[in-house]
Amino acid sequence: MAARRKSDEEMTVNMTPMIDVVFQLIIFFVTTVDMENKALDTKIRLAMSPHGPAVEKKDPRTIMVDVDHKGRISIARVGMSADVLRQVLRKAVADYGPTIPLVIRGDGKTPHEDIKSVMDAAAAAGLWKVKFVAVKEKA
Amino acid sequence: MARQRRKAEAPAADLPMTPMIDVVFQLLIYFLVTIQPRDVLAHLDVFRPSPDQRQQEQQEKPKMIRILVFPDGFTINERPVDAAELDRLLTRLASIDRNQTILITCTAASPHEKLVRVLDLCAKNKLVNLSVVSTY
């Protein structure tokens, strides 16, 4: 009888505050989860690389440089010339050291010379960790 | 008797759940419909020869594998190949030595996807010492 009464009491837990909190959490995660994607240029058609190593843990200091099919360079949708990119990378190296990974999102149709100008800017700034992004699996 | 007492103690128990479940299902359906699955991305690591000329000379070992990337094809050690042939050669190479340095030279006019293709084949065969150089 005593056990029965205990379970009855547990049944009366007030659900409302818990549901409120859960909804708040859901809204928080829904609004924050895709922030990073908004900074990427969606017009870039990445080349396919079905065997490439998947992106594992990402360094938060990573610099993503977008190069579209006409060779226009941009970081977080802000277009810039190769000279400006060099200055930006120099500044980044001065602030965080030369171990920052540079990730190049190049369109598959971009001529290599435009990719090269980004890599040269990286070399001039002293960055040596260069990666190319490719699509491993189309969603 | 006991039942009546419980009712009196617990006003929260008769919280109407139905509208809330309706709303949650609506949200669920909305997110399922609007979600855009993301492509799985790969990061292809490469080495760039340092601007230091001395090191560049040191890299020019005769046993190094040289792959040239042209807009319309590849050559490996001066021999023109297509992608399938390149894959076969790289597989054979990887069975001998995975740490073999591979110097990938890309011509300025070739599209980026060609370079990515070569890097992908190297990644497939687990070759790790990839150096990318550009020609003018």
Side-chain angles (χ1 to χ4, degrees):
Chain A
M1 191 64 202
R4 174 74 186 275
R5 193 147 115 209
K6 201 170 173 219
S7 80
D8 280 355
E9 270 165 24
E10 272 168 20
M11 287 291 286
T12 65
V13 172
N14 197 350
M15 296 288 281
T16 323
M18 194 176 69
I19 293 163
D20 287 351
V21 169
V22 169
F23 273 18
Q24 291 291 337
L25 282 176
I26 289 174
I27 290 167
F28 173 75
F29 284 117
V30 164
T31 50
T32 56
V33 76
D34 247 9
M35 289 301 190
E36 190 190 333
N37 267 12
K38 290 197 175 69
L40 298 177
D41 191 341
T42 47
K43 288 204 183 77
I44 289 178
R45 296 265 166 272
L46 295 169
M48 292 295 292
S49 168
H51 310 290
V55 181
E56 66 275 9
K57 219 172 96 234
K58 228 177 91 183
D59 194 321
R61 299 171 304 170
T62 303
I63 303 174
M64 279 256 187
V65 179
D66 297 340
V67 187
D68 75 359
H69 66 285
K70 285 184 180 147
R72 286 175 297 218
I73 301 164
S74 58
I75 294 179
R77 287 191 180 173
V78 180
M80 58 184 69
S81 67
D83 286 333
V84 175
L85 174 71
R86 196 172 307 130
Q87 284 166 24
V88 168
L89 293 180
R90 278 228 182 86
K91 176 82 173 64
V93 169
D95 287 349
Y96 305 110
T99 55
I100 318 168
L102 178 78
V103 176
I104 301 175
R105 288 179 81 241
D107 193 291
K109 300 275 179 282
T110 314
H112 180 70
E113 57 181 331
D114 298 317
I115 304 288
K116 176 185 170 291
S117 65
V118 174
M119 292 196 290
D120 287 348
L127 288 175
W128 51 272
K129 273 190 188 170
V130 177
K131 297 173 183 199
F132 298 113
V133 184
V135 179
K136 189 173 169 63
E137 230 172 83
K138 271 245 185 292
Chain B
M1 185 65 202
R3 180 175 278 228
Q4 256 181 8
R5 206 179 64 197
R6 193 186 68 191
K7 246 187 184 165
E9 268 177 7
D14 36 84
L15 174 80
M17 295 292 278
T18 325
M20 195 173 66
I21 293 166
D22 288 351
V23 169
V24 169
F25 275 16
Q26 291 290 340
L27 282 175
L28 199 68
I29 290 165
Y30 171 76
F31 284 119
L32 282 182
V33 169
T34 56
I35 200 162
Q36 287 177 340
R38 294 176 63 181
D39 296 341
V40 182
L41 296 181
H43 277 181
L44 299 157
D45 274 293
V46 294
F47 291 116
R48 282 288 282 177
S50 94
D52 184 7
Q53 203 59 40
R54 192 172 48 86
Q55 202 181 338
Q56 208 160 345
E57 273 165 25
Q58 190 206 335
Q59 276 186 340
E60 307 268 331
K61 289 177 199 154
K63 59 175 276 189
M64 198 159 53
I65 307 299
R66 290 159 179 283
I67 299 176
L68 262 92
V69 183
F70 292 104
D72 50 356
F74 314 102
T75 69
I76 180 163
N77 288 349
E78 274 86 52
R79 186 175 135 206
V81 285
D82 61 1
E85 177 71 11
L86 184 65
D87 184 22
R88 210 157 30 240
L89 289 171
L90 286 177
T91 310
R92 205 186 310 155
L93 202 83
S95 65
I96 303 166
D97 183 7
R98 284 198 202 290
N99 295 318
Q100 173 81 266
T101 305
I102 297 177
L103 187 74
I104 301 165
T105 307
C106 198
T107 52
S110 54
H112 184 53
E113 57 189 353
K114 289 274 177 192
L115 176 62
V116 170
R117 188 76 198 273
V118 176
L119 293 175
D120 178 48
L121 291 177
C122 291
K124 182 189 175 191
N125 294 307
K126 302 205 170 51
L127 294 157
V128 284
N129 268 328
L130 309 175
S131 211
V132 173
V133 197
S134 319
T135 57
Y136 295 94

